[in-house]
Amino acid sequence: MKKKLFLGNWKCYLSIEESISLFQQVSEFQTARYDVAFAPNHLALHPCSRIPSFAALAVQDCYVENQGAYTGFITPQDCASLGVRYCIIGHSERRRLALETDTLIAQKVSAVLKAGMTPVLCVGETKEQFSAGKSSEVIALQIQKGLYGISDELVARCVIAYEPVYAISKNGNGVSITRDSANAMFTYIQSLVPTCGMLYGGSVNPENLESFMEIELCDGVLVGSASTKFESLRTMLSLAF
Ligand code: PGA
């Protein structure tokens, strides 16, 4: 059976030096349990790519073009040339803070696939949408629009990360949704895109990791805050000395 994926999203929690140090520390341990990848901040990506590691690299975002007058962006080609395997796309923090639209997100999915990386398309409803009973509708639209124009063959290479916006922790104080709620959403997502891998994200930590990994339809987790501390990583990955 395929190993499940543990994808750590370090956001801007760690400085460049801290990112290098954590990536280095983790790379020195073995884990047979999961496929592991980390997404350091953009500036730490290059130095981390020079560290031999059992863990793969991911990037937190990238642009749709590979060359030209695009001030401040980073390109899919550059990320791929560093050996980056996964690209997180459409994270709720980027939808909210960088005003990313579904149209741009679909272009990014396509560009990331073209560069040979695996797109991890983030979808998730807000608390208000959840309370209004609109979760399924919101998720279906985000998936439909985020994968717009992608062939069936390429859709099968995409991963969907279901991250309810209200479950994402800020400074580690968030509360995850229940395993049953996650399972219900995975069942729904699978009915929409049966060939995609599916991750759960939102306040995953050493206490609840197993309960999500045990869900049959769940192919892994996207972990923010709890993946930025060595001790909790060691527990979650059962790292061996
Ligand atoms: P969290 O973040 O684990 O800190 O809740 C997850 C994410 O936003 O990807």
Side-chain angles (χ1 to χ4, degrees):
M1 207 184 76
K2 228 178 104 227
K3 272 199 267 179
K4 299 201 175 192
L5 175 66
F6 180 101
L7 175 50
N9 175 10
W10 290 350
K11 310 191 180 187
C12 291
Y13 281 121
L14 303 175
S15 68
I16 301 173
E17 288 310 320
E18 288 166 341
S19 306
I20 296 169
S21 162
L22 185 58
F23 197 73
Q24 180 97 54
Q25 262 182 302
V26 175
S27 72
E28 285 166 6
F29 298 94
Q30 293 292 321
T31 178
R33 228 159 164 205
Y34 307 121
D35 281 331
V36 179
F38 295 108
N41 71 54
H42 288 345
L43 293 174
L45 203 56
H46 184 263
C48 286
S49 75
R50 296 292 174 256
I51 301 171
S53 176
F54 75 85
L57 272 178
V59 61
Q60 298 178 16
D61 174 56
C62 74
Y63 194 50
V64 298
E65 301 289 349
N66 281 316
Q67 205 265 329
Y70 306 107
T71 305
F73 294 93
I74 64 167
T75 69
Q77 206 168 63
D78 272 343
C79 295
S81 76
L82 293 183
V84 169
R85 196 174 304 163
Y86 302 95
C87 179
I88 299 171
I89 300 176
H91 190 283
S92 59
E93 285 149 18
R94 293 206 58 85
R95 290 178 192 258
R96 181 167 51 89
L97 302 169
L99 309 181
E100 291 203 357
T101 62
D102 286 310
T103 309
L104 178 63
I105 288 167
Q107 290 169 347
K108 289 187 175 188
V109 171
S110 171
V112 162
L113 285 163
K114 213 174 274 173
M117 296 182 287
T118 298
V120 178
L121 170 64
C122 298
V123 298
E125 77 279 39
T126 62
K127 186 83 198 158
E128 294 68 38
Q129 290 164 333
F130 170 78
S131 304
K134 294 204 156 105
S135 302
S136 305
E137 189 186 322
V138 169
I139 301 305
L141 268 179
Q142 286 178 347
I143 291 177
Q144 189 193 332
K145 291 182 175 177
L147 297 178
Y148 182 77
I150 313 288
S151 69
D152 289 350
E153 192 190 329
L154 290 177
V155 164
R157 286 177 37 204
C158 297
V159 172
I160 306 290
Y162 172 54
E163 298 202 301
V165 178
Y166 51 92
I168 295 176
S169 67
K170 289 196 185 80
N171 304 316
N173 295 323
V175 178
S176 67
I177 60 167
T178 63
R179 177 202 153 98
D180 285 352
S181 310
N183 193 29
M185 189 53 84
F186 282 136
T187 306
Y188 179 63
I189 294 173
Q190 200 198 30
S191 73
L192 303 171
V193 275
T195 57
C196 288
M198 297 184 286
L199 309 182
Y200 170 76
S203 294
V204 174
N205 58 42
E207 285 74 49
N208 62 24
L209 174 78
E210 287 293 327
S211 67
F212 292 110
M213 285 296 202
E214 277 166 8
I215 300 173
E216 206 182 318
L217 288 174
C218 174
D219 297 298
V221 289
L222 180 52
V223 188
S225 163
S227 74
T228 62
K229 299 166 197 94
F230 180 69
E231 281 309 320
S232 72
L233 267 182
R234 187 162 69 179
T235 311
M236 289 189 284
L237 300 177
S238 307
L239 297 177
F241 291 94

